């Protein structure tokens, strides 16, 4: 998952020039080239091979506490997690920091792309390839930063734990195991997590800089099946009670429905900052809602903006549809899959009950898939926020740092659910929100973004582990 909604407008500020010929930037580029070549897609069984490649980089650099932990992915395929511990020098001053990312990517068909999606291509100042944005650039940047710090003799004052999973894009079993079984074994227990799969900044297509987000909250992912059953009959004798029509009516009710808007610590801080920069009716709505969280009309106006969809409330949308069994028969069954992204702290069972009220008694509503649990908002820790702000301002001195709630979900939610706060603090930047290509055709990042991200993670780790 890569967060799609970014952020407040500010004056354009160029990134600081990187040292020419930096060996660690070259190393990151080489690692990204090899990383993209592993098609770590569900069903291809390539995650273990990529995990071994990364493990070899850590081993060659002198890291000794390295685990590749196999587990079963979504399609019964072989996947794995990579866990690397860099132990504190002497007695640790605090609990470990978890450095998080994922190694898997979504499928990419060569016929859909203008180039080979599993070969790193450099063109017009961009790196192209599946995973450049989501999120192999992140795990490459974290890894390169650690290799650099190790080579330069950095001695952490607390343990650093690398935790890269192999199925974030599907079932997130690795994150679930990491937050439960592997944590109990002492492999992944930490005071907090820093996630490369969240945060970051962007630029508009005309060159205006956008702010940097620190992701502190995520919505809960839960799908539901809506089903209508009917006795059926011959199509030559239609009746008013038709399963497909009844389901269509229910879906139209859902389309028009709006869940109650909610402000939490993260979204209040986000809209407070956005309101300082946004002009016109949207900015007015943001200012009114922050001033009065009960102003539903203001929240509705925000929600109507394409880039703010899902930031004010729970949203549910129909994503799959099926019905009927024969061309000449009245349908006996019609069903739709509805995917909901639920606000932090709200139980999926509450949304299920609300869906039943929306669609009425003639439509069955049942949760689908693995039952998910709501996760709390991570508190705005001064040390993490301060380190992130200082690092970003090294590159972009005037950039506002804005707490951010992802409308999607990442591995971080599993750790938040067990009381470990997680912060999306990646330093990647450069993609315009209206040119977001993660999971899509010709996925890309700016070449310089990778270099800056390596330097960013060096600063973050140094600041929080010294």
């Amino acid at each position: 998952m890569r967060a799609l909604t970014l952020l407040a407008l500010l004056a354009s500020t160029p990134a600081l020039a990187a040292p020419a010929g930096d060996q660690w930037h070259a190393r990151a580029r080489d690692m990204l080239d090899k990383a993209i070549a592993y098609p770590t897609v569900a069903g291809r069984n390539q995650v273990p091979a990529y995990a071994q490649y990364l493990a070899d980089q850590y081993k060659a650099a002198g890291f000794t506490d390295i685990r590749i932990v196999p587990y079963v992915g979504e399609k019964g395929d072989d996947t794995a997690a990579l866990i690397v511990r860099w132990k504190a020098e002497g007695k640790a001053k605090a609990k470990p920091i978890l450095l998080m990312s994922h190694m898997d990517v979504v499928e990419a068909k060569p016929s859909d792309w203008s180039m080979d999606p599993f070969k790193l291509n450099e063109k017009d100042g961009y790196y192209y390839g599946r995973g450049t944005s989501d999120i192999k650039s992140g795990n490459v940047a974290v890894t390169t930063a650690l290799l650099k710090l190790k080579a330069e003799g950095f001695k952490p004052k607390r343990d650093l734990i690398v935790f890269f999973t192999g199925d974030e894009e599907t079932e997130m079993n690795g994150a679930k195991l990491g937050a439960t079984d592997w944590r109990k074994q002492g492999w992944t227990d930490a005071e907090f997590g820093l996630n490369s799969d969240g945060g970051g900044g962007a630029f508009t297509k005309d060159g205006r800089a956008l702010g940097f987000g620190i992701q502190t909250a995520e919505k809960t992912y839960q799908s539901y099946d809506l089903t209508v059953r009917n006795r059926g009959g011959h199509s030559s004798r239609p009746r008013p009670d038709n399963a497909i029509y009844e389901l269509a009516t229910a879906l139209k009710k859902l389309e028009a429905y709006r869940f109650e808007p909610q402000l939490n610590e993260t979204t209040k801080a986000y809209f407070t900052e956005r309101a300082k920069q946004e002009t016109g009716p949207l900015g007015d709505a943001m200012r009114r809602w922050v001033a009065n969280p009960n102003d539903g009309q203001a929240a509705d106006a925000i929600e109507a903006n394409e880039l703010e969809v899902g930031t004010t409330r729970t949203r549910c949308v129909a994503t799959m549809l099926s019905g009927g069994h024969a061309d000449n028969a009245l349908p006996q069954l019609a069903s739709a899959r509805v995917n909901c992204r639920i606000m932090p702290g709200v139980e999926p069972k509450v949304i299920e009950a609300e869906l039943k009220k929306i669609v009425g008694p003639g439509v069955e509503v049942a949760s689908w898939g693995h039952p998910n649990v709501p996760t709390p908002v991570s508190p705005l820790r001064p040390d993490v926020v301060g380190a992130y702000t200082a690092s970003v301002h090294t590159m972009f001195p005037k950039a506002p740092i804005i707490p951010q709630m992802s409308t999607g979900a990442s591995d971080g939610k599993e750790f938040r659910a067990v009381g470990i706060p997680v912060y999306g603090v990646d330093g990647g930047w450069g993609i315009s929100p209206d040119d977001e290509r993660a999971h899509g055709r010709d996925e890309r990042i700016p070449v310089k973004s990778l270099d800056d991200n390596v330097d960013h993670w060096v600063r973050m780790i140094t600041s929080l582990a010294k």
Side-chain angles (χ1 to χ4, degrees):
M1 186 283 305
R2 190 72 167 162
L4 302 186
T5 304
L6 290 176
L7 292 166
L9 293 174
L10 66 147
S12 180
T13 311
L16 300 178
D22 186 297
Q23 64 168 315
W24 296 105
H25 294 168
R27 178 74 176 272
R29 197 272 183 207
D30 180 66
M31 289 179 63
L32 185 62
D33 179 72
K34 292 180 172 61
I36 299 302
Y38 289 96
T40 51
V41 176
R44 295 209 198 181
N45 299 304
Q46 286 296 300
V47 171
Y50 178 45
Q52 185 62 61
Y53 166 74
L54 291 174
D56 290 343
Q57 309 312 301
Y58 283 103
K59 184 177 180 180
F63 291 83
T64 57
D65 192 342
I66 303 170
R67 287 183 174 86
I68 296 176
V69 189
Y71 64 97
V72 177
E74 178 192 31
K75 299 180 179 180
D77 57 329
D78 296 330
T79 190
L82 175 66
I83 305 174
V84 181
R85 183 182 289 261
W86 189 0
K87 293 186 178 179
E89 183 75 12
K91 183 176 176 60
K93 72 170 187 177
K95 289 186 68 175
I97 300 172
L98 203 61
L99 304 176
M100 302 172 63
S101 193
H102 65 88
M103 300 176 287
D104 60 314
V105 297
V106 299
E107 183 61 271
K109 297 180 179 179
S111 58
D112 294 336
W113 281 51
S114 66
M115 62 195 77
D116 185 344
F118 293 106
K119 178 180 179 181
L120 186 68
N121 289 277
E122 184 175 345
K123 180 182 178 182
D124 299 329
Y126 287 89
Y127 289 135
Y128 290 81
R130 174 59 86 225
T132 49
S133 172
D134 188 8
I135 183 67
K136 286 180 176 175
S137 59
N139 50 65
V140 164
V142 170
T143 297
T144 306
L146 290 170
L147 300 186
K148 178 180 179 179
L149 287 169
K150 183 79 166 176
E152 293 179 348
F154 178 70
K155 300 183 185 303
K157 296 297 192 296
R158 61 199 303 174
D159 287 11
L160 299 169
I161 304 172
V162 173
F163 181 56
F164 296 168
T165 60
D167 67 336
E168 190 272 352
E169 298 291 3
T170 52
E171 290 296 299
M172 297 188 184
N173 289 331
K176 295 180 181 74
L177 289 165
T180 55
D181 295 4
W182 300 339
R183 181 188 176 203
K184 291 176 182 176
Q185 295 184 58
W187 297 349
T188 55
D189 192 27
E191 183 176 345
F192 60 86
L194 303 178
N195 194 358
S196 75
D197 195 17
F203 284 80
T204 62
K205 288 182 178 179
D206 63 5
R208 288 178 297 140
L210 296 169
F212 276 69
I214 176 170
Q215 187 243 52
T216 57
E218 297 175 90
K219 284 185 155 183
T220 302
Y221 181 108
Q222 186 66 61
S223 290
Y224 303 87
D225 281 339
L226 275 54
T227 304
V228 178
R229 303 179 191 278
N230 190 281
R231 60 191 173 94
H234 202 286
S235 64
S236 66
R237 301 178 63 187
R239 301 188 311 272
D241 59 318
N242 181 294
I244 290 177
Y245 293 160
E246 290 177 24
L247 179 63
T249 299
L251 292 175
K252 292 299 290 183
K253 290 178 182 178
L254 177 62
E255 179 188 16
Y257 186 79
R258 292 295 176 266
F259 290 85
E260 192 73 20
Q262 294 178 256
L263 269 179
N264 55 44
E265 181 186 13
T266 293
T267 56
K268 184 175 183 179
Y270 171 76
F271 284 114
T272 297
E273 188 60 46
R274 288 283 283 113
K276 296 176 183 177
Q277 306 292 336
E278 189 66 48
T279 60
L282 179 59
D284 292 340
M286 291 176 177
R287 286 181 281 275
R288 294 202 316 272
W289 194 39
V290 170
N292 179 14
N294 295 319
D295 189 340
Q297 288 185 336
D300 289 348
I302 297 169
E303 189 71 18
N305 181 273
E306 185 175 345
L307 293 180
E308 301 297 346
V309 170
T311 58
T312 69
R313 68 198 71 199
T314 293
R315 291 299 299 260
C316 296
V317 61
T319 55
M320 299 177 69
L321 187 66
S322 65
H325 62 286
D327 181 52
N328 59 350
L330 298 177
Q332 296 178 37
L333 183 72
S335 64
R337 178 73 45 78
V338 170
N339 179 244
C340 295
R341 304 302 176 111
I342 303 169
M343 290 293 284
V346 178
E347 290 282 351
K349 283 290 184 182
V350 171
I351 300 304
E352 182 177 331
E354 196 161 352
L355 286 172
K356 289 178 180 179
K357 291 180 181 179
I358 296 166
V359 300
V363 182
E364 300 172 12
V365 178
S367 61
W368 178 87
H370 189 280
N372 289 300
V373 296
T375 62
V377 174
S378 296
L380 295 172
R381 290 177 60 115
D383 54 349
V384 175
V385 175
Y388 188 64
T389 301
S391 180
V392 169
H393 284 175
T394 300
M395 299 182 291
F396 304 99
K398 296 181 180 180
I401 307 301
I402 307 175
Q404 183 181 33
M405 177 186 71
S406 293
T407 54
S410 77
D411 284 339
K413 72 183 182 68
E414 300 297 333
F415 287 87
R416 289 192 182 101
V418 298
I420 298 177
V422 176
Y423 302 88
V425 292
D426 200 53
W429 57 267
I431 298 299
S432 169
D434 58 2
D435 188 39
E436 173 61 52
R437 302 187 184 188
H439 295 199
R441 182 178 188 265
D442 292 351
E443 182 180 349
R444 67 182 188 176
I445 59 168
V447 169
K448 194 173 185 305
S449 173
L450 178 64
D451 297 341
D452 286 346
N453 206 13
V454 171
D455 299 339
H456 163 75
W457 278 101
V458 169
R459 292 189 294 268
M460 286 291 298
I461 295 166
T462 301
S463 175
L464 293 169
K466 65 182 180 183

